[in-house]
């Protein structure tokens, strides 16, 4: 952690939680407008004090003053008290990858309101635009969160025109705020809406699903698996927070500048999933996971322009080769790398149960990135891989097996090296076999690039593989360094609660020593 950041955090803690905050007191204010009806405002008041306020998260109050935010973010606009909405969890999640920034929330949602009150010229639209403009004087408007549609799901007539009306409102909003590419994330309606009260819910859900496909820079926060507070209408506190995290994942993806298909049409070797790609929501809710991936892709997150070619990292999320954890081991890590001056590319590789397809995907990703290095302003000789769990296994394979690279694509990548220039393996899995030997096809014989391994001793299922791999590389005279922590477990991304929480800061000197930073 840098000294300026430490000084800022120390000063921030002293801010009075109810006093207005001056625009110049904190750096990098990222502003997000919260629009919609009661599920954006929140209705469940249970566990509203579950988390202490964070002085980096502000809200614009009714007098257009910035104050430190806490639930409920929205003020009371009816006889029903607001509760836990998605705003605070969204802000906390955005701060994971940008801890030196500040999030400014602009609450404008009003419960029970139909879309007709949110179109250009209507009262709530004009109020939201006015508040967004006022907020933008003290920061940078980075996006809009929208959750609305329950009221319009009461009649087929309203649901039938919902997509066209909402799409036009988004176009008007961007024009009136002077940001034609303003990222907007729409939240899906809960699966629990009572059919007798919301007979047209399917039509509104389909409209929300279609908007990201028809409008640029629009994302979707899915509501799959989320629960109501007991009324078959409003999200519970826990589910509202989970929805906020899903809003953040979608916003991170929109902030990425480009998504590129990995393989030319008809040239991808190996098999693909038989079922359509879908989000997977297992019992754990700490990440958004995608499975049945048949169209692997790279999502580009550009480093801040520094007037020179940037070092780059291909980020390889984990997921046990069953799914890909696209946020906490993907987009979150990419945003953190951007803050350190790296361009990041998040790899969505083929799953489930397709290790050889996934390996071809990471090799192809390295070649493709080198072929696009000029367009993406990347230094092709400072291109590394950073893998988590199963992604760490893929990164290890890419770092030790590169004599044969993908061929036959006829797109200018043939002949380019698929060897990374460095590798960071974070709690890698599958590095040893049942006999406690280095698992095939890992090898320590080739000209392996510098490797950094991050692991925790209490990750008992996989840490032995790290020790095996580290020993094999060191015995072969390869450049390997390990950051081994007492506690941390497995699957924490940037967010460990144990000793491993230090790994992002501890990794930076190693990168600098390799002349990577």
């Amino acid at each position: 952690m840098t000294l300026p950041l430490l000084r800022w955090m120390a000063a921030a803690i002293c801010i009075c939680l109810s006093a207005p905050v001056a625009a110049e007191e904190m750096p990098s204010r990222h502003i997000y407008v919260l629009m919609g009806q009661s599920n954006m405002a929140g209705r469940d008041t249970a566990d509203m004090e579950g988390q202490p306020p964070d002085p980096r998260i502000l809200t614009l109050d009714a007098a257009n003053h910035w104050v430190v935010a806490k639930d409920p973010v929205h003020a009371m606009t009816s006889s029903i008290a607001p509760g836990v909405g998605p705003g605070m969890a969204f802000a906390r999640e955005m701060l994971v990858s940008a801890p030196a920034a500040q999030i400014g929330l602009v609450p404008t949602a009003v419960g029970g309101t139909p879309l007709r009150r949110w179109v250009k010229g209507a009262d709530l639209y004009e109020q939201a635009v006015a508040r967004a403009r006022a907020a933008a004087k003290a920061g940078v408007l980075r996006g809009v969160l929208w959750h609305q549609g329950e009221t319009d799901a009461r009649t087929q007539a309203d649901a039938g025109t919902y997509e066209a009306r909402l799409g036009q409102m988004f176009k008007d909003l961007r024009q009136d705020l002077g940001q034609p590419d303003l990222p907007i994330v729409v939240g899906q309606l809960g699966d629990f809406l009572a059919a007798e009260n919301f007979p047209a819910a399917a039509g509104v859900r389909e409209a929300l699903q279609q908007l990201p496909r028809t409008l640029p820079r629009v994302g979707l926060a899915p509501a799959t698996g989320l629960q109501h507070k007991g009324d078959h209408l409003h999200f519970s506190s826990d589910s509202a927070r989970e929805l906020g995290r899903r809003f953040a994942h979608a916003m991170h993806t929109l902030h990425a500048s480009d998504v590129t298909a990995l393989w030319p049409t008809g040239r991808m070797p190996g098999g693909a999933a038989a079922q359509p790609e879908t989000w997977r929501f297992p019992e754990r809710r700490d990440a958004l996971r995608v499975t049945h991936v048949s169209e692997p892709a790279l999502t580009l997150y550009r480093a801040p322009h520094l007037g020179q070619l940037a070092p780059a990292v291909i980020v390889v999320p984990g997921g046990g080769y069953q799914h890909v954890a696209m946020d906490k081991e993907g987009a979150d890590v990419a945003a953190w790398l951007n803050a350190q001056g790296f361009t990041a590319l998040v790899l969505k590789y083929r799953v489930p149960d397709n290790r050889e397809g996934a390996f071809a995907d990471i090799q192809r990703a390295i070649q493709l990135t080198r072929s696009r290095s000029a367009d993406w302003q990347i230094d092709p000789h400072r291109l590394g891989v950073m893998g988590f769990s199963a992604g760490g296994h893929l990164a290890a394979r890419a770092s030790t097996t590169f004599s044969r690279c993908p061929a036959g694509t006829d797109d200018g990548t043939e002949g380019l090296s698929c060897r990374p220039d460095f590798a960071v393996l974070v709690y890698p899995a599958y590095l040893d076999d049942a006999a406690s030997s280095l698992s095939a096809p890992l090898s320590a014989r080739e000209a392996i690039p510098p490797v950094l391994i991050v692991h925790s001793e209490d990750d008992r299922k996989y840490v032995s593989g790290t020790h095996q791999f580290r020993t094999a590389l060191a015995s072969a005279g390869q450049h390997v360094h390990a950051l081994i922590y007492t506690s941390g477990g497995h699957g924490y991304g940037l967010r460990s609660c144990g000793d491993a929480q230090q790994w992002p800061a501890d990794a930076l000197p190693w990168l600098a020593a390799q002349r990577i930073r």
Side-chain angles (χ1 to χ4, degrees):
M1 188 176 290
T2 63
L3 184 58
L5 178 56
L6 286 170
R7 287 173 177 164
W8 171 80
M9 291 182 71
I13 292 170
C14 298
I15 295 174
C16 175
L17 297 185
S18 60
V21 179
E24 66 274 9
E25 286 184 7
M26 298 187 189
S28 305
R29 186 172 298 170
H30 301 170
I31 296 171
Y32 297 92
V33 183
L34 312 181
M35 300 176 68
Q37 54 183 109
S38 56
N39 270 316
M40 177 59 75
R43 282 295 183 259
D44 193 357
T45 58
D47 192 31
M48 203 146 54
E49 303 298 328
Q51 292 180 307
D54 186 326
R56 297 171 297 171
I57 303 174
L58 305 182
T59 185
L60 194 70
D61 68 10
N64 284 350
H65 294 146
W66 290 106
V67 297
V68 175
K70 61 179 181 179
D71 281 320
V73 172
H74 283 75
M76 183 178 291
T77 57
S78 68
S79 60
I80 304 175
V84 176
M88 289 296 294
F90 166 82
R92 292 181 191 279
E93 193 73 8
M94 297 300 288
L95 286 172
V96 169
S97 54
Q102 183 187 75
I103 304 297
L105 302 176
V106 184
T108 68
V110 178
T113 54
L115 180 56
R116 65 176 178 270
R117 291 188 63 186
W118 289 99
V119 299
K120 184 177 175 66
D123 60 333
L124 296 181
Y125 175 91
E126 299 301 333
Q127 290 174 26
V129 169
R131 282 175 58 76
R133 288 171 174 166
K137 295 177 182 178
V140 178
L141 189 58
R142 297 293 304 276
V144 171
L145 276 58
W146 172 264
H147 198 287
Q148 189 274 342
E150 291 89 349
T151 299
D152 291 82
R154 295 185 183 277
T155 69
Q156 297 294 344
D158 285 338
T161 60
Y162 189 82
E163 181 180 349
R165 290 184 293 137
L166 184 58
Q168 184 60 51
M169 188 272 275
F170 287 162
K171 294 176 184 177
D172 292 336
L173 184 67
R174 285 168 166 167
Q175 181 175 357
D176 288 342
L177 294 178
Q179 292 199 32
D181 296 319
L182 182 67
I184 301 172
V185 178
V186 298
Q188 187 55 277
L189 301 186
D191 296 334
F192 45 71
L193 294 180
E196 62 270 23
N197 296 326
F198 305 97
V204 175
R205 288 193 186 97
E206 180 61 22
L208 293 168
Q209 195 78 26
Q210 286 295 327
L211 274 170
R213 302 169 185 166
T214 58
L215 281 181
R217 305 279 283 171
V218 174
L220 177 71
T224 310
L226 300 185
Q227 304 299 315
H228 59 88
K229 76 181 190 76
D231 60 359
H232 293 276
L233 175 58
H234 297 107
F235 293 110
S236 67
S237 292
D238 285 346
S239 288
R241 292 184 179 111
E242 172 60 21
L243 182 62
R245 290 186 283 270
R246 296 179 186 184
F247 268 113
H249 167 71
M251 189 63 71
H252 275 316
T253 301
L254 293 178
H255 285 168
S257 58
D258 200 4
V259 179
T260 301
L262 206 57
W263 299 93
T265 302
R267 297 302 178 97
M268 183 175 74
Q275 300 179 45
E277 182 175 311
T278 185
W279 291 105
R280 180 171 183 260
F281 299 99
E283 65 280 1
R284 291 172 57 187
R285 286 187 174 178
D286 60 335
L288 291 178
R289 299 162 170 86
V290 65
T291 190
H292 302 302
V293 176
S294 297
E295 299 178 358
L298 277 176
T299 301
L300 173 67
Y301 296 76
R302 295 181 187 269
H305 182 63
L306 302 175
Q308 58 188 6
L309 298 180
V313 178
I314 295 172
V315 180
V316 193
Y321 288 108
Q322 300 303 305
H323 53 262
V324 184
M326 293 297 292
D327 55 348
K328 74 168 182 178
E329 294 172 350
D332 290 359
V333 177
W336 171 73
L337 286 166
N338 285 169
Q340 315 308 322
F342 291 89
T343 286
L345 304 101
V346 176
L347 174 62
K348 182 175 70 173
Y349 53 90
R350 280 173 278 175
V351 290
D353 302 319
N354 194 349
R355 293 195 182 195
E356 294 311 308
F359 179 58
D361 291 344
I362 190 174
Q363 287 194 311
R364 165 70 179 174
I366 296 169
Q367 288 182 305
L368 181 63
T369 300
R370 287 201 166 106
S371 74
R372 303 282 182 90
S373 59
D375 292 340
W376 292 345
Q377 296 182 293
I378 287 171
D379 185 341
H381 305 296
R382 292 190 293 167
L383 172 61
V385 291
M386 178 180 290
F388 297 77
S389 192
H393 179 247
L394 272 180
R397 286 190 65 182
S399 303
T400 60
T401 310
F402 41 78
S403 58
R404 295 181 61 184
C405 300
T409 52
D410 296 330
D411 63 350
T413 62
E414 293 187 55
L416 294 176
S417 173
C418 60
R419 174 188 181 273
D421 295 305
F422 59 95
V424 180
L425 317 180
V426 185
Y427 45 83
Y430 317 125
L431 299 187
D432 60 348
D433 56 25
S436 297
S437 300
L438 202 62
S439 63
L442 297 177
S443 169
R445 293 190 297 271
E446 296 196 52
I448 294 170
V451 175
L452 173 66
I453 311 177
V454 177
H455 223 134
S456 304
E457 291 289 1
D458 61 350
D459 183 12
R460 294 181 177 85
K461 187 174 182 178
Y462 297 119
V463 72
S464 62
T466 279
H467 293 310
Q468 290 283 350
F469 191 52
R470 176 189 185 185
T471 299
L473 293 184
S475 298
Q478 307 287 1
H479 185 127
V480 59
H481 181 68
L483 298 172
I484 307 297
Y485 300 95
T486 302
S487 62
H490 189 87
Y492 42 77
L494 299 171
R495 317 171 191 168
S496 174
C497 294
D499 296 336
Q501 64 185 298
Q502 283 296 117
W503 86 259
D506 292 345
L508 294 179
W510 181 86
L511 293 174
Q514 313 314 310
R515 297 184 180 274
I516 296 165
R517 291 185 74 233

